[in-house]
């Protein structure tokens, strides 16, 4: 009896241990099934599309007013052939570290990938200024809301190219407030100063210069999300200061229970507003900023290892398009939420240099030559200038 009891216990414990060890794989598999099953709806997000004339005119900074036959070619337009006198300013806003990673470890740190996103803006957009709006950037994290951001090696490395703008944390730290703080802050900065807002996982691949010259009354440029254009995503926005569209969008955040409608204000509402106020918005096709999408298969496509021939092919495409995979692509949003655990967190400068994936091919030129990783005591230390 004792032997049998012990045996049962042993079996039970083994099963639990096995379950524990396999959990990440089971979780991964569950996620895979949830996302790729025929009822997940991801096939609509992934569907093929063709950029239409309005979207292409917008991409080229031409007049796109619906029903207006005077479709402008800058060369022979009523704007005198030149750009409008007040293009959208070529300044970039990033927002990072609103939550303190000391108390919210899942908030993440300003790390190699964040550095790479800012580098992509430096290299591709050649902006007049890059503002990094933050509350907590220090490394290691500190309870002090005024801790020195220069303790973060990645911030130090970017220091010559960015302007740090410190924001005090909001009073009363409710999580709903945090969830939308970054959404409303980006609109506030664009309303006050204009420019280009980029999420920290959005990578600029080519100059936005043509877009920035989009003629009034189009004061805002947004990109469609999904091959079915189900929304206009707020991860990349270009806008003139004082745009009525941005003011209206910002006002929509007042007095709503935001905890229940995450995607509505950031993706769906802008699409609805663009349909009711088409003269104010320049809406780009899905490939401009948000292609491929966040679906399981699309994320795989960006990060799967390429054969030698495929790597040569995609590198030549990137060269031909001036830095992007597709003709009309200006940025790539890497969808941190969907891709971090599966791929992004494993990336280092060495991995990006050595392994051919579509994502890595795009990113290589943003790495500075003297950036490398050294292993010391099994802890990864990123070598940085002068430290
Ligand atoms: C192009 O597509 C957008 C988004 O679906 C739509 O609003 C616009 O009317 C279309 N333009 C033309 C010329 O079909
Ligand atoms: C925006 O509006 C404010 C207040 O009306 C004004 O002071 C500012 O000059 C405007 N900025 C731009 C860029 O038009």
């Amino acid at each position: 009896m004792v032997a049998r009891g012990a045996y049962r216990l042993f079996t039970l414990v083994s099963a639990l241990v096995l379950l524990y060890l396999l959990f990440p794989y089971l979780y991964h598999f569950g996620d895979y099934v949830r996302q790729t099953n025929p009822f997940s709806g991801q096939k609509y997000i992934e569907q093929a599309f063709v950029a239409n004339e309005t979207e292409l005119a917008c991409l080229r900074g031409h007049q796109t007013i619906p029903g207006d036959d005077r479709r402008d070619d800058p060369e022979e337009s009523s704007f005198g052939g030149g750009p409008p006198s007040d293009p959208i300013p070529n300044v970039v806003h990033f927002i990072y570290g609103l939550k303190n990673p000391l108390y919210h470890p899942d908030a993440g740190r300003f790390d190699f990938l964040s550095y790479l996103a800012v580098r992509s803006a430096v290299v591709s957009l050649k902006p007049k200024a890059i503002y990094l709006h933050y509350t907590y950037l220090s490394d290691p994290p500190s309870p002090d809301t005024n801790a020195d951001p220069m303790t973060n090696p990645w911030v130090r490395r970017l220091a010559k190219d960015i302007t740090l703008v410190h924001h005090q944390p909001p009073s009363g730290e409710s999580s709903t407030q945090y969830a939308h703080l970054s959404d409303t802050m980006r609109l506030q900065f664009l309303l006050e100063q204009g420019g280009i807002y980029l999420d920290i996982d959005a990578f600029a691949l080519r100059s936005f210069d043509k877009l920035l010259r989009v003629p009034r009354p189009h004061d805002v440029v947004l990109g469609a999300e999904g091959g079915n254009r189900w929304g206009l995503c707020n991860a990349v926005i270009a806008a003139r200061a004082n745009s009525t569209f941005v003011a209206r969008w910002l006002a929509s955040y007042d007095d709503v229970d935001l905890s229940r409608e995450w995607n509505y204000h950031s993706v769906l509402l802008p699409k609805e507003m663009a349909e009711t106020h088409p003269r104010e918005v320049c809406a780009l096709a899905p490939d401009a900023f948000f292609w491929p999408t966040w679906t399981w298969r699309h994320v795989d496509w960006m990060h799967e290892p390429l054969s030698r021939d495929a790597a040569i092919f995609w590198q030549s495409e990137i060269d031909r398009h001036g830095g992007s995979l597709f003709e009309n692509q200006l940025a790539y949003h890497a969808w941190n939420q969907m891709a971090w655990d599966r791929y992004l967190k494993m990336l280092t400068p060495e991995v990006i240099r050595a392994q051919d994936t579509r994502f890595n091919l795009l990113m290589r030129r943003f790495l500075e030559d003297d950036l490398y990783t050294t292993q010391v005591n099994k802890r990864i230390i990123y070598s940085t200038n002068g430290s």
Side-chain angles (χ1 to χ4, degrees), residues 8 38 50 80 86 100 107 109-110 127 163 171 217 254 274 313 330 383:
R8 279 208 188 130
V50 179
D86 64 337
N100 192 341
R109 314 264 186 105
F110 191 92
T163 305
S171 50
D254 297 342
F313 171 79
L330 299 182
S383 161

Side-chain angles (χ1 to χ4, degrees), residues 145-213:
T145 54
N146 293 307
D148 183 6
M150 286 299 164
T151 51
N152 182 314
W154 299 108
V155 175
R156 227 162 38 235
R157 202 171 236 281
L158 291 165
K160 64 181 186 310
D161 292 313
I162 62 177
T163 305
L164 288 161
V165 186
H166 184 250
H167 298 264
Q168 287 296 329
S171 50
E173 303 195 357
S174 84
S175 58
T176 2
Q177 222 178 348
Y178 271 122
H180 292 274
L181 191 55
S182 150
D183 285 3
T184 51
M185 280 171 81
R186 73 191 66 181
L187 296 176
Q188 261 153 13
F189 302 146
L190 291 176
L191 195 59
E192 287 159 16
Q193 301 165 48
I196 301 164
Y197 167 80
L198 295 172
D199 264 0
I200 203 69
D201 57 348
F203 298 83
L205 302 175
R206 277 152 66 187
S207 161
F208 284 18
D209 281 355
K210 282 184 184 161
L211 279 188
L212 300 181
R213 293 200 297 258

Side-chain angles (χ1 to χ4, degrees), residues 52-55 229 271 275:
N52 73 26
E53 277 187 48
T54 320
E55 292 166 332
R229 296 179 176 82
K271 162 114 181 157
E275 276 160 8

Side-chain angles (χ1 to χ4, degrees), residues 350-368:
E350 285 72 21
V351 170
I352 287 187
R353 287 193 187 103
Q355 294 179 8
D356 291 337
T357 65
R358 292 177 183 85
F359 183 80
N360 292 351
L361 293 182
L362 286 175
M363 293 300 128
R364 273 180 202 158
R365 69 203 169 91
F366 305 137
L367 294 171
E368 293 163 292

Side-chain angles (χ1 to χ4, degrees), residues 4 40 94 112 142 153 200 205 224 227 241 263 342 378:
R4 180 179 265 192
S40 71
F94 284 100
F112 169 54
S142 155
I200 203 69
L205 302 175
N263 264 332
R342 279 163 63 203
K378 292 190 183 160

Side-chain angles (χ1 to χ4, degrees), residues 103-125:
Y103 309 120
H104 307 272
D106 58 329
R109 314 264 186 105
F110 191 92
D111 57 10
F112 169 54
L113 267 266
S114 319
Y115 152 88
L116 210 51
V118 177
R119 279 287 302 163
S120 78
V122 173
V123 172
S124 305
L125 303 178

Side-chain angles (χ1 to χ4, degrees), residues 28 58 93 134 157 185 230 238 341 381 383:
H28 183 86
C58 166
H93 300 273
Y134 75 101
R157 202 171 236 281
M185 280 171 81
W230 76 292
D341 282 333
I381 306 280
S383 161

